[in-house]
Amino acid sequence: MPSSQHSNFTEFMEGVEKRNPGQTEFIQAVREVSQDIFDYIEDKPEYHEAQIMRRIAEPDRVVSFRVCWEDDDHNIRVERGWRVQNNNAIGPYKGGIRFHSSVTESVLKFLAFEQTFKNSLTGLPLGGGKGGSNFNPRGKSDSEIMRFCQSFMTELYRHIGPDIDVPAGDIGVGGREIGYMFGQYKRITGRWEGVLTGKAVEYGGSEMRPEATGYGAIYFLRCMLAHQDNDIEGKTAVISGAGNVATHAAEMMTQLGGKVLTLSDSDGFVHDPDGIDQEKIDWVKRLKNERGGRISEYADEFSNATFHEGERPWNVECDVALPCATENELNEDEAKALVDNGCIAVVEGANMPTTLDGIKVFKDADILYAPGKAANAGGVAVSGLEMSQNAERISWNKEKLGDMLTELMQDIHSKCAEHGDVGDGKVDYVKGANIAGFKKVADAMLAFGVV
Ligand code: NDP
């Protein structure tokens, strides 16, 4: 970065830190993106004059609200809910809802900020938002989940709409929770409209939505490898998480001839040297989606598998690594271990799973590294297609949507390759994704003037 740009960037980040005290995740996400953007806009005064980056790094609004619900023992419980509407320059706000005890305003602001760039990269007319609650769904009964979701929507409904803001699922929010929230929205407003995505196919959901994020990440990996005349066949993969993204990434990795060695949850990881094949993946899906079980049970079920309590899987030797659980789950030392063990590609199914120091290790080692905003964009892309189907009152079949997803991921890869070309056929995917995502949003904002 030239020195004048460096001082611009430093000043900008000081402002971000001052305005968002203690919001470490949000500041981390803004820093990661802005470094590349300040380089890119060095000779583009129009973006500086219009203060575009400063405006994108200040959410349009953050709505925070109380969510009261009654547990099965008739205790009244109080949680906090949020919706962060970051930017709607190119389309209605769009982004998931997360229910997890670790949710804070900073986490949701970082996710909404990232989502703005990711949604732009898909090429679809989608702005960026994110929401959620510190409610912890673990161990709650089905009726408790229903009452919480209904109470959450009783406040959220006034802030969303098919042309305003269209939430989806994320950690702790799957098909069941979307169903309860959609039902409550419909009950309050009396309207059936595509106000949430990730719905079941029976009431307006899209085929391929549950699979889209994990499958899309593997399609992106395939594009990166193909760019280097390589492919997935025979490659070993280490995956973290055991939820929607992780299990579907594992499924597509296996289908394309790869071998998946690990899955994890917040208690630890399982290592299966025989490979986690489709039958075992189906078992994990039932464990997590139907029984609410822990990944440790996998080691009791399948011989040769071992459970590593309290550990993450990054020390296991592999060709590719796919962090698919949560933010900051892969640090500098773990990144070094992956590189030292011969890992050639890291593809982020989760949002911001690698720390800034970890990213630097991958960049310095010159291995393939796909940031979440590019690699996991398949989910929101199919959500965008769900919105189109709802608006037109039609539904496309699985085959068509599968083709559309494959094409979308190829298109995102091409945009990254175009804007992240660093010569010798090499691509800086972080830079490529940041710049391609930024450009579309920034140009729309310029067109609107000062608003
Ligand atoms: P799920 O709730 O289905 O699964 C999350 C998985 O990650 C679980 O195995 C969970 O374990 C684990 N996990 C969550 N928090 C932690 C933690 N603090 N430490 C260790 N493990 C943790 O969520 P998804 O699969 O939907 O989401 C995973 C990631 O992918 C998130 O970063 C999300 O934002 C991102 N993402 C999801 C998309 C989607 O379409 N669903 C789209 C794009 C990105 P446990 O059960 O123990 O909590």
Side-chain angles (χ1 to χ4, degrees):
M1 190 183 281
S3 64
S4 63
Q5 277 314 101
H6 192 267
S7 64
N8 272 341
F9 171 68
T10 307
E11 211 175 287
F12 166 79
M13 281 312 304
E14 280 169 4
V16 171
E17 283 173 19
K18 204 166 154 195
R19 283 191 300 279
N20 302 280
Q23 300 200 335
T24 50
E25 295 85 359
F26 177 64
I27 293 166
Q28 179 185 343
V30 174
R31 183 179 295 281
E32 189 261 325
V33 170
S34 310
Q35 273 167 347
D36 288 325
I37 302 305
F38 272 83
D39 279 347
Y40 173 68
I41 63 177
E42 186 194 0
D43 55 352
K44 301 176 183 64
E46 64 276 23
Y47 295 128
H48 290 286
E49 281 157 21
Q51 294 282 335
I52 295 293
M53 211 41 225
R54 164 112 196 243
R55 285 155 67 186
I56 299 180
E58 187 66 43
D60 288 357
R61 65 193 62 78
V62 179
V63 184
S64 147
F65 48 93
R66 186 186 63 232
V67 187
C68 281
W69 60 286
E70 192 177 339
D71 68 21
D72 288 344
D73 297 326
H74 304 294
N75 299 305
I76 302 301
R77 310 278 287 261
V78 185
E79 326 285 349
R80 187 170 293 170
W82 288 269
R83 186 71 185 164
V84 179
Q85 297 179 330
N86 194 72
N87 187 293
N88 68 349
I90 61 169
Y93 304 105
K94 175 102 200 83
I97 292 176
R98 176 178 293 191
F99 292 161
H100 196 270
S101 49
S102 63
V103 165
T104 60
E105 191 172 308
S106 168
V107 167
L108 296 177
K109 276 172 70 177
F110 116 64
L111 288 163
F113 176 81
E114 282 276 302
Q115 195 84 44
T116 302
F117 295 84
K118 181 193 306 187
N119 292 2
S120 164
L121 263 181
T122 66
L124 300 172
L126 305 169
K130 201 85 186 187
S133 172
N134 58 337
F135 169 72
N136 180 6
R138 186 162 345 155
K140 302 290 188 300
S141 72
D142 198 55
S143 337
E144 288 178 324
I145 298 281
M146 181 183 77
R147 286 196 292 275
F148 179 80
C149 287
Q150 290 176 339
S151 186
F152 186 83
M153 183 52 83
T154 300
E155 174 59 32
L156 184 69
Y157 89 95
R158 67 188 84 242
H159 307 291
I160 61 176
D163 295 316
I164 301 169
D165 184 351
V166 184
D170 191 73
I171 293 178
V173 178
R176 175 181 61 164
E177 291 74 16
I178 292 288
Y180 291 145
M181 287 192 272
F182 188 73
Q184 182 72 350
Y185 179 89
K186 197 166 64 58
R187 176 158 77 163
I188 295 172
T189 62
R191 287 197 298 270
W192 194 110
E193 53 192 7
V195 72
L196 291 173
T197 59
K199 303 185 290 296
V201 173
E202 294 74 25
Y203 59 92
S206 177
E207 294 284 2
M208 284 304 287
R209 177 62 190 89
E211 297 89 348
T213 308
Y215 281 17
I218 301 298
Y219 295 155
F220 197 87
L221 168 66
R222 182 169 58 179
C223 291
M224 290 168 96
L225 292 173
H227 201 69
Q228 298 203 333
D229 296 323
N230 204 339
D231 61 32
I232 288 178
E233 182 72 40
K235 300 277 184 301
T236 52
V238 159
I239 299 182
S240 65
N244 173 283
V245 180
T247 51
H248 289 107
E251 193 165 291
M252 186 46 68
M253 188 73 197
T254 315
Q255 281 178 27
L256 295 181
K259 183 176 177 183
V260 177
L261 299 176
T262 68
L263 286 173
S264 74
D265 63 19
S266 43
D267 294 342
F269 78 92
V270 281
H271 179 200
D272 185 344
D274 298 337
I276 304 175
D277 60 17
Q278 188 63 53
E279 203 180 311
K280 293 171 177 173
I281 295 167
D282 289 341
W283 185 89
V284 173
K285 284 186 186 174
R286 286 195 299 277
L287 172 81
K288 286 294 178 185
N289 300 338
E290 292 165 25
R291 295 200 278 120
R294 308 305 299 157
I295 200 67
S296 55
E297 295 170 44
Y298 183 102
D300 304 328
E301 183 73 15
F302 301 105
S303 55
N304 290 335
T306 47
F307 176 62
H308 303 258
E309 192 176 350
E311 289 181 42
R312 300 192 287 217
W314 314 123
N315 286 299
V316 174
E317 199 176 314
C318 62
D319 297 314
V320 300
L322 288 132
C324 295
T326 192
E327 58 272 8
N328 291 330
E329 56 161 320
L330 204 171
N331 64 26
E332 184 180 11
D333 289 342
E334 292 162 325
K336 280 184 188 151
L338 282 169
V339 171
D340 289 346
N341 282 333
C343 175
I344 59 165
V346 178
V347 175
E348 296 185 339
N351 286 309
M352 206 169 76
T354 313
T355 61
L356 290 174
D357 291 340
I359 295 173
K360 187 166 180 311
V361 172
F362 297 143
K363 283 192 170 183
D364 289 348
D366 210 10
I367 67 167
L368 295 172
Y369 166 64
K373 68 173 75 65
N376 70 33
V380 73
V382 174
S383 273
L385 301 177
E386 182 173 334
M387 288 164 69
S388 305
Q389 294 170 80
N390 290 166
E392 285 189 63
R393 302 272 191 262
I394 53 169
S395 42
W396 295 320
N397 63 29
K398 205 163 189 163
E399 198 181 24
K400 181 179 168 89
L401 283 152
D403 290 346
M404 289 168 103
L405 174 63
T406 311
E407 229 171 85
L408 271 155
M409 296 313 296
Q410 282 166 351
D411 187 49
I412 293 172
H413 183 271
S414 304
K415 285 182 189 148
C416 291
E418 180 192 339
H419 291 280
D421 181 6
V422 287
D424 288 340
K426 290 187 180 156
V427 179
D428 179 339
Y429 286 93
V430 178
K431 181 177 165 199
N434 285 340
I435 294 174
F438 168 81
K439 196 173 176 316
K440 187 175 168 195
V441 176
D443 289 345
M445 290 171 75
L446 282 183
F448 301 150
V450 183
V451 288

